[in-house]
């Protein structure tokens, strides 16, 4: 039984080693993935797919009242006073919007010497009854929370305006629920309830958040391309609807000067916030190119819009498969890479197949992303390529070793052409110890020596082989010297490859040989 097993292993050692290489590559990819080696590459790929998808259709629900650099210059002050924010809320409310969000901390009276301005703001918010103001929750050492002021907390909702950033300050995800609700969550909930919808439903017992019929997928530390990420709170991936400037924008200065028709706000979610570079409330996003940034008020608009579209139109969120399924996904592509190299020994065919598989992988991942499923791309791509390259390297080293063995065995006694034929049938030869018969053109040299048998029996084998090698070398020199023509034959017709020469034997003279026709070698 053991002998059979050993023979079986010897006969199938190549595929077994190929499988071992695949397992080694797969294990290495999983280890590297768990150490966050691929995180930035996966996130850059995520960004590229989001940019490739491009903008979605225009959003009919969100409009932004932007306080830009031009607006600040026209009003000749920053920060704007409570009186000015009160006037904007009053103007917007005349258009009967679904919800109003103010992305500006109003915890301090601005300016302190104008208490009547604060009263105008409080009165406008109380009359609107659908305003959401912002707070800030300190999460890092040295930060200071901005709490809702007492005069506004009694008449309006509040949501925290914290922005979650990845390395490079890129905003890809949002925290909807932490110590309270986020600004986008509160606005989307207010918007849906204004339309007679159920609104957003958070269940603290099961820690699930529902928008319409959908359970919003919550980020985990190993969500998609992330590994060992801080996923505190209820975080989601932001499915940006478009690049910076995607939402309809109304100038805040125009609004204060009465140049805006309030009907533009009807039944919409209205966000008031800064889009001035000097205020420094801007971030790069996956859709950013070059120095392009998206302002905080726009980011809150994208998050709220995503929740609204999910509840009203069942738009899917960006989700992922289970962690074990991602591991299986990587294993499948690593196996494909190794098996492709093992089956296609021709370098050109293997390279073409590898490029085709890589293209199929990229297209499949992108197609699934368009449906809202984020599959890892870099880790399976690395497994595919590395398994293929390592298998090719193993097969090349094995081929060189086998060729060296065969050339050593045959190159001294047969022509290069015959060695090539033997090499092309090496697999059969190495497995069975013999070569299958086939029709080939060969040249055979026969030579005779007098008293061959007697001489061979009288000396040791190594001595006779030395004489034979010397004898064949002389013949080879003679053939080369006469341009490949031999008109003389020596001896009694014993095959040179299997004969030996006695130290006392001598070649027959040409006068003792029969005349033979010429033979071209």
């Amino acid at each position: 039984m053991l002998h059979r097993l050993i023979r079986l292993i010897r006969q199938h050692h190549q595929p077994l080693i190929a499988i071992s290489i695949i397992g080694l590559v797969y294990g290495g990819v999983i280890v590297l993935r768990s150490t966050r080696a691929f995180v930035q590459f996966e996130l850059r790929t995520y960004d590229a797919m989001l940019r490739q998808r491009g903008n979605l259709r225009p959003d009919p629900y969100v409009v932004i009242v932007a306080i830009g650099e031009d607006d600040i210059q026209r009003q000749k002050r920053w920060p704007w006073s409570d009186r000015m924010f009160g006037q904007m809320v009053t103007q917007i409310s005349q258009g009967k919007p679904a919800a109003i969000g103010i992305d500006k901390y109003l915890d301090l009276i601005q300016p302190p010497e104008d208490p009547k301005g604060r009263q105008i703001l409080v009165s406008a918010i109380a009359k609107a009854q659908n305003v959401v103001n912002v707070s800030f929750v300190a999460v890092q050492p040295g930060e200071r929370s901005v709490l809702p002021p007492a005069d506004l907390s009694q008449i309006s909702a509040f949501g925290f305006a914290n922005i979650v950033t990845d390395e490079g300050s890129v905003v890809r995800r949002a925290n909807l629920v932490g110590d309270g609700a986020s600004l986008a969550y509160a606005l989307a909930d207010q918007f849906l309830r204004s339309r007679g919808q159920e609104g957003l439903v958070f269940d603290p017992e099961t820690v699930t958040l529902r928008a319409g019929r959908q359970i919003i997928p919550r980020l985990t530390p190993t969500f998609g391309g992330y590994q060992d990420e801080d996923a505190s709170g209820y975080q989601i991936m932001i499915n940006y609807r478009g690049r910076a400037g995607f939402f309809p924008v109304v100038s805040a200065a125009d609004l204060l000067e009465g140049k805006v028709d309030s009907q533009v706000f009807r039944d919409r979610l209205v966000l008031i916030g800064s889009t001035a570079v000097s205020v420094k409330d801007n971030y790069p996003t996956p859709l950013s190119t070059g120095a392009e940034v998206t302002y905080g008020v726009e980011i809150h608009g994208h998050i709220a819009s995503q929740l609204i579209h999910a509840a009203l139109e069942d738009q899917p969120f960006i989700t992922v498969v289970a962690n074990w399924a991602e591991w299986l996904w990587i294993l499948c592509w690593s196996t494909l890479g190794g098996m492709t190299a093992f089956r296609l020994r021709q370098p050109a065919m293997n390279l073409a197949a590898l490029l085709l598989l890589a293209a199929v992988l990229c297209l499949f991942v992108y197609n699934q992303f368009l449906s809202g499923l984020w599959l890892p791309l870099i880790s399976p791509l690395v497994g595919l390529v590395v398994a293929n390259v390592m298998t090719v390297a193993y097969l090349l080293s094995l081929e060189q070793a086998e060729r060296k063995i065969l050339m050593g065995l045959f190159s001294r006694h047969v022509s290069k052409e015959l060695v090539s034929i033997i090499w092309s049938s090496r697999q059969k030869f190495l497995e069975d110890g013999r070569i299958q018969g086939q029709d080939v053109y060969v040249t055979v040299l026969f030579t005779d020596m007098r008293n061959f048998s007697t001489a061979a029996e009288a000396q040791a084998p190594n001595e006779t082989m030395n004489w034979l090698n010397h004898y064949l070398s002389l013949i080879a020199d003679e053939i080369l010297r006469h341009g490949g023509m031999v008109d003389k034959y020596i001896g009694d017709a014993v095959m040179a490859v299997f004969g030996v020469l006695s130290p006392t034997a001598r070649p027959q003279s040409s006068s003792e040989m029969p005349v033979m026709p010429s033979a071209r070698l």
Side-chain angles (χ1 to χ4, degrees), residues 150-219:
D151 56 347
L152 297 182
S153 61
Q154 300 174 3
I155 57 175
S156 68
F158 272 81
F160 60 80
N162 297 55
I163 298 288
V164 182
T165 61
D166 293 327
E167 184 177 336
S169 298
V170 181
V171 181
R172 298 184 181 92
R173 49 201 169 105
N175 190 9
L176 298 180
V177 180
D179 292 336
S182 69
L183 173 61
Y185 178 101
L187 285 170
D189 185 70
Q190 174 69 36
F191 180 92
L192 293 172
R193 293 183 188 280
S194 73
R195 292 201 166 198
Q197 301 291 323
E198 182 181 18
L200 303 176
V201 180
F202 177 69
D203 186 349
E205 293 185 3
T206 59
V207 195
T208 56
L209 180 59
R210 182 163 54 85
R213 296 177 297 175
Q214 292 191 72
I215 299 295
I216 300 176
R218 181 186 180 189
L219 263 71

Side-chain angles (χ1 to χ4, degrees), residues 403-415:
R403 188 178 184 89
K404 185 176 180 180
I405 293 172
L406 290 176
M407 291 294 289
L409 287 172
F410 296 102
S411 61
R412 296 179 63 183
H413 304 296
V414 297
S415 66

Side-chain angles (χ1 to χ4, degrees), residues 14 398-406 423 426 430:
Q14 289 190 20
L398 184 65
E399 180 178 312
Q400 289 177 355
E402 291 176 351
R403 188 178 184 89
K404 185 176 180 180
I405 293 172
L406 290 176
W423 173 248
R426 64 189 181 280
L430 292 174

